[in-house]
Short mmCIF file of all heavy atoms in Angstrom, two decimals:
data_model
loop_
_atom_site.label_atom_id
_atom_site.label_comp_id
_atom_site.label_asym_id
_atom_site.label_seq_id
_atom_site.Cartn_x
_atom_site.Cartn_y
_atom_site.Cartn_z
N LEU A 112 101.29 147.09 -1.48
CA LEU A 112 101.72 148.45 -1.06
C LEU A 112 103.24 148.50 -0.86
O LEU A 112 103.77 149.50 -0.37
CB LEU A 112 101.02 148.84 0.23
CG LEU A 112 99.48 148.95 0.08
CD1 LEU A 112 98.85 149.17 1.46
CD2 LEU A 112 99.09 150.07 -0.88
N GLY A 113 103.91 147.39 -1.16
CA GLY A 113 105.38 147.36 -1.06
C GLY A 113 105.86 147.26 0.38
O GLY A 113 106.99 147.69 0.68
N SER A 114 105.05 146.77 1.31
CA SER A 114 105.46 146.67 2.69
C SER A 114 105.67 145.23 3.12
O SER A 114 104.95 144.35 2.70
CB SER A 114 104.36 147.30 3.60
OG SER A 114 104.63 146.97 4.92
N ARG A 115 106.67 145.06 3.96
CA ARG A 115 106.93 143.72 4.51
C ARG A 115 106.69 143.71 6.03
O ARG A 115 107.15 142.80 6.73
CB ARG A 115 108.40 143.30 4.23
CG ARG A 115 108.66 143.14 2.79
CD ARG A 115 110.10 142.75 2.51
NE ARG A 115 110.27 142.59 1.10
CZ ARG A 115 110.44 143.60 0.24
NH1 ARG A 115 110.45 144.86 0.71
NH2 ARG A 115 110.57 143.40 -1.04
N ALA A 116 106.00 144.73 6.50
CA ALA A 116 105.74 144.82 7.95
C ALA A 116 104.90 143.65 8.46
O ALA A 116 104.09 143.12 7.71
CB ALA A 116 105.03 146.13 8.24
N SER A 117 105.11 143.26 9.72
CA SER A 117 104.20 142.28 10.27
C SER A 117 103.10 143.02 11.06
O SER A 117 103.28 144.16 11.50
CB SER A 117 104.93 141.28 11.16
OG SER A 117 105.72 141.93 12.11
N LEU A 118 101.98 142.35 11.24
CA LEU A 118 100.77 143.03 11.69
C LEU A 118 100.10 142.34 12.89
O LEU A 118 100.14 141.12 12.98
CB LEU A 118 99.72 143.05 10.56
CG LEU A 118 100.17 143.60 9.21
CD1 LEU A 118 99.09 143.33 8.18
CD2 LEU A 118 100.46 145.10 9.29
N ARG A 119 99.53 143.17 13.75
CA ARG A 119 98.60 142.64 14.77
C ARG A 119 97.20 143.17 14.41
O ARG A 119 97.05 144.39 14.20
CB ARG A 119 98.99 143.14 16.17
CG ARG A 119 98.00 142.72 17.25
CD ARG A 119 98.46 143.10 18.62
NE ARG A 119 99.65 142.32 18.98
CZ ARG A 119 100.67 142.83 19.67
NH1 ARG A 119 100.65 144.09 20.08
NH2 ARG A 119 101.72 142.08 19.96
N ILE A 120 96.24 142.25 14.31
CA ILE A 120 94.91 142.63 13.82
C ILE A 120 93.87 142.14 14.82
O ILE A 120 93.93 141.03 15.31
CB ILE A 120 94.63 141.94 12.47
CG1 ILE A 120 95.70 142.27 11.41
CG2 ILE A 120 93.24 142.29 11.94
CD1 ILE A 120 95.73 141.35 10.22
N ALA A 121 92.90 142.98 15.13
CA ALA A 121 91.77 142.55 15.93
C ALA A 121 90.49 142.99 15.23
O ALA A 121 90.47 144.06 14.58
CB ALA A 121 91.82 143.15 17.34
N THR A 122 89.44 142.18 15.34
CA THR A 122 88.23 142.51 14.58
C THR A 122 86.97 142.08 15.31
O THR A 122 86.99 141.14 16.11
CB THR A 122 88.31 141.87 13.16
OG1 THR A 122 87.26 142.34 12.37
CG2 THR A 122 88.25 140.35 13.19
N ARG A 123 85.92 142.80 15.10
CA ARG A 123 84.64 142.54 15.82
C ARG A 123 83.48 142.88 14.87
O ARG A 123 83.50 143.93 14.20
CB ARG A 123 84.63 143.48 17.01
CG ARG A 123 83.32 143.54 17.75
CD ARG A 123 83.45 144.40 19.00
NE ARG A 123 83.31 145.83 18.71
CZ ARG A 123 83.63 146.80 19.55
NH1 ARG A 123 84.17 146.53 20.73
NH2 ARG A 123 83.44 148.06 19.22
N ASN A 124 82.49 142.02 14.80
CA ASN A 124 81.29 142.29 14.01
C ASN A 124 80.18 142.80 14.92
O ASN A 124 80.08 142.39 16.07
CB ASN A 124 80.76 141.01 13.36
CG ASN A 124 81.59 140.61 12.17
OD1 ASN A 124 82.35 141.42 11.62
ND2 ASN A 124 81.47 139.37 11.75
N SER A 125 79.33 143.66 14.39
CA SER A 125 78.21 144.15 15.16
C SER A 125 76.98 143.22 15.00
O SER A 125 75.93 143.50 15.52
CB SER A 125 77.82 145.56 14.71
OG SER A 125 77.25 145.49 13.40
N PHE A 126 77.13 142.12 14.26
CA PHE A 126 75.98 141.28 13.94
C PHE A 126 76.43 139.82 13.87
O PHE A 126 77.62 139.54 13.80
CB PHE A 126 75.39 141.70 12.58
CG PHE A 126 76.44 141.73 11.48
CD1 PHE A 126 76.65 140.57 10.73
CD2 PHE A 126 77.21 142.84 11.23
CE1 PHE A 126 77.64 140.56 9.73
CE2 PHE A 126 78.17 142.83 10.24
CZ PHE A 126 78.38 141.71 9.49
N PRO A 127 75.47 138.84 13.91
CA PRO A 127 75.87 137.45 13.87
C PRO A 127 76.63 137.10 12.60
O PRO A 127 76.21 137.48 11.53
CB PRO A 127 74.53 136.68 13.94
CG PRO A 127 73.49 137.66 14.17
CD PRO A 127 74.04 139.04 13.96
N THR A 128 77.74 136.40 12.76
CA THR A 128 78.60 136.11 11.62
C THR A 128 78.10 134.88 10.87
O THR A 128 77.63 133.91 11.45
CB THR A 128 80.03 135.84 12.15
OG1 THR A 128 80.43 136.97 12.88
CG2 THR A 128 81.01 135.59 11.00
N GLY A 129 78.19 134.91 9.53
CA GLY A 129 78.03 133.68 8.75
C GLY A 129 76.61 133.24 8.47
O GLY A 129 76.39 132.13 8.01
N ALA A 130 75.64 134.09 8.69
CA ALA A 130 74.26 133.63 8.48
C ALA A 130 73.54 134.44 7.42
O ALA A 130 72.34 134.69 7.50
CB ALA A 130 73.51 133.66 9.80
N GLY A 131 74.28 134.86 6.39
CA GLY A 131 73.62 135.52 5.29
C GLY A 131 73.58 137.04 5.45
O GLY A 131 72.99 137.73 4.62
N ILE A 132 74.21 137.57 6.47
CA ILE A 132 74.47 139.00 6.51
C ILE A 132 75.92 139.05 6.08
O ILE A 132 76.75 138.32 6.61
CB ILE A 132 74.27 139.58 7.91
CG1 ILE A 132 72.82 139.35 8.35
CG2 ILE A 132 74.61 141.08 7.94
CD1 ILE A 132 72.57 139.62 9.81
N ALA A 133 76.25 139.93 5.12
CA ALA A 133 77.53 139.78 4.41
C ALA A 133 78.72 140.14 5.32
O ALA A 133 79.30 141.20 5.19
CB ALA A 133 77.52 140.64 3.16
N SER A 134 79.08 139.17 6.20
CA SER A 134 80.18 139.48 7.11
C SER A 134 81.54 139.49 6.38
O SER A 134 82.45 140.18 6.79
CB SER A 134 80.24 138.46 8.24
OG SER A 134 80.46 137.16 7.72
N SER A 135 81.69 138.73 5.28
CA SER A 135 82.95 138.83 4.58
C SER A 135 83.03 140.16 3.87
O SER A 135 84.15 140.70 3.73
CB SER A 135 83.21 137.69 3.60
OG SER A 135 82.19 136.82 3.46
N ALA A 136 81.90 140.70 3.42
CA ALA A 136 81.95 142.02 2.74
C ALA A 136 82.46 143.08 3.71
O ALA A 136 83.42 143.82 3.39
CB ALA A 136 80.57 142.38 2.23
N SER A 137 81.85 143.15 4.89
CA SER A 137 82.30 144.18 5.84
C SER A 137 83.69 143.83 6.39
O SER A 137 84.53 144.71 6.59
CB SER A 137 81.29 144.34 6.99
OG SER A 137 81.08 143.09 7.63
N GLY A 138 83.90 142.54 6.62
CA GLY A 138 85.18 142.09 7.24
C GLY A 138 86.37 142.40 6.33
O GLY A 138 87.36 142.96 6.78
N PHE A 139 86.25 142.01 5.05
CA PHE A 139 87.40 142.24 4.18
C PHE A 139 87.57 143.72 3.83
O PHE A 139 88.68 144.16 3.55
CB PHE A 139 87.30 141.35 2.92
CG PHE A 139 87.72 139.93 3.20
CD1 PHE A 139 86.83 138.90 3.13
CD2 PHE A 139 89.02 139.65 3.56
CE1 PHE A 139 87.21 137.59 3.40
CE2 PHE A 139 89.44 138.32 3.84
CZ PHE A 139 88.50 137.30 3.76
N THR A 140 86.49 144.44 3.80
CA THR A 140 86.63 145.88 3.54
C THR A 140 87.33 146.53 4.73
O THR A 140 88.29 147.31 4.56
CB THR A 140 85.23 146.52 3.33
OG1 THR A 140 84.60 145.84 2.26
CG2 THR A 140 85.34 147.99 3.00
N ALA A 141 86.87 146.21 5.97
CA ALA A 141 87.49 146.80 7.14
C ALA A 141 88.98 146.42 7.22
O ALA A 141 89.84 147.24 7.51
CB ALA A 141 86.77 146.34 8.41
N LEU A 142 89.26 145.15 6.93
CA LEU A 142 90.67 144.69 7.02
C LEU A 142 91.53 145.41 5.99
O LEU A 142 92.61 145.92 6.35
CB LEU A 142 90.71 143.16 6.77
CG LEU A 142 92.07 142.52 6.75
CD1 LEU A 142 92.78 142.68 8.09
CD2 LEU A 142 92.00 141.03 6.36
N THR A 143 91.10 145.45 4.74
CA THR A 143 91.90 146.09 3.71
C THR A 143 92.17 147.56 4.09
O THR A 143 93.32 148.04 3.99
CB THR A 143 91.14 146.06 2.35
OG1 THR A 143 90.70 144.74 2.11
CG2 THR A 143 92.03 146.54 1.20
N LEU A 144 91.12 148.25 4.48
CA LEU A 144 91.25 149.69 4.75
C LEU A 144 92.11 149.93 6.01
O LEU A 144 92.93 150.87 6.05
CB LEU A 144 89.89 150.35 4.91
CG LEU A 144 89.30 150.84 3.57
CD1 LEU A 144 89.14 149.76 2.54
CD2 LEU A 144 87.98 151.55 3.80
N ALA A 145 91.96 149.06 7.02
CA ALA A 145 92.75 149.27 8.26
C ALA A 145 94.21 148.99 8.00
O ALA A 145 95.09 149.70 8.54
CB ALA A 145 92.19 148.39 9.37
N VAL A 146 94.52 147.96 7.16
CA VAL A 146 95.94 147.72 6.82
C VAL A 146 96.51 148.94 6.11
O VAL A 146 97.59 149.46 6.42
CB VAL A 146 96.10 146.44 5.98
CG1 VAL A 146 97.53 146.31 5.44
CG2 VAL A 146 95.72 145.19 6.76
N ARG A 147 95.75 149.42 5.15
CA ARG A 147 96.21 150.60 4.37
C ARG A 147 96.43 151.80 5.30
O ARG A 147 97.47 152.45 5.22
CB ARG A 147 95.17 150.95 3.30
CG ARG A 147 95.01 149.98 2.17
CD ARG A 147 94.02 150.48 1.15
NE ARG A 147 94.51 151.70 0.50
CZ ARG A 147 95.19 151.72 -0.65
NH1 ARG A 147 95.40 150.61 -1.30
NH2 ARG A 147 95.61 152.87 -1.12
N ALA A 148 95.45 152.06 6.16
CA ALA A 148 95.55 153.21 7.01
C ALA A 148 96.74 153.06 7.98
O ALA A 148 97.47 154.06 8.22
CB ALA A 148 94.26 153.41 7.81
N ALA A 149 96.95 151.88 8.52
CA ALA A 149 98.07 151.65 9.45
C ALA A 149 99.42 151.87 8.73
O ALA A 149 100.38 152.23 9.37
CB ALA A 149 97.99 150.25 10.06
N LEU A 150 99.42 151.62 7.43
CA LEU A 150 100.66 151.82 6.64
C LEU A 150 100.71 153.24 6.09
O LEU A 150 101.61 153.58 5.30
CB LEU A 150 100.73 150.81 5.50
CG LEU A 150 100.96 149.35 5.93
CD1 LEU A 150 100.79 148.43 4.74
CD2 LEU A 150 102.34 149.16 6.55
N GLY A 151 99.75 154.09 6.48
CA GLY A 151 99.76 155.48 6.04
C GLY A 151 99.28 155.70 4.63
O GLY A 151 99.55 156.73 4.03
N GLU A 152 98.48 154.74 4.12
CA GLU A 152 97.98 154.87 2.73
C GLU A 152 96.55 155.43 2.73
O GLU A 152 95.81 155.25 3.72
CB GLU A 152 97.99 153.51 2.04
CG GLU A 152 99.38 152.92 1.86
CD GLU A 152 100.20 153.67 0.83
OE1 GLU A 152 99.63 154.30 -0.06
OE2 GLU A 152 101.43 153.61 0.97
N SER A 153 96.15 155.98 1.59
CA SER A 153 94.82 156.53 1.45
C SER A 153 93.74 155.45 1.53
O SER A 153 93.92 154.32 1.09
CB SER A 153 94.72 157.22 0.09
OG SER A 153 93.37 157.37 -0.29
N ILE A 154 92.58 155.80 2.14
CA ILE A 154 91.44 154.86 2.10
C ILE A 154 90.28 155.52 1.35
O ILE A 154 89.12 155.20 1.59
CB ILE A 154 91.02 154.39 3.51
CG1 ILE A 154 90.56 155.53 4.39
CG2 ILE A 154 92.14 153.59 4.15
CD1 ILE A 154 89.73 155.09 5.58
N GLU A 155 90.60 156.38 0.43
CA GLU A 155 89.56 157.06 -0.36
C GLU A 155 88.83 156.02 -1.21
O GLU A 155 89.46 155.16 -1.87
CB GLU A 155 90.20 158.11 -1.25
CG GLU A 155 89.16 158.98 -1.91
CD GLU A 155 89.84 160.07 -2.70
OE1 GLU A 155 90.88 160.61 -2.28
OE2 GLU A 155 89.31 160.40 -3.81
N ALA A 156 87.50 156.07 -1.18
CA ALA A 156 86.70 155.09 -1.93
C ALA A 156 86.81 155.37 -3.43
O ALA A 156 86.27 156.35 -3.93
CB ALA A 156 85.23 155.19 -1.50
#
Side-chain angles (χ1 to χ4, degrees):
L112 298 173
S114 168
R115 295 179 180 79
S117 53
L118 307 171
R119 175 174 294 142
I120 303 163
T122 190
R123 170 175 84 194
N124 284 342
S125 69
F126 54 89
T128 304
I132 300 168
S134 62
S135 4
S137 56
F139 281 115
T140 303
L142 177 62
T143 311
L144 272 57
V146 171
R147 292 183 64 95
L150 291 170
E152 297 290 333
S153 159
I154 61 161
E155 190 176 324

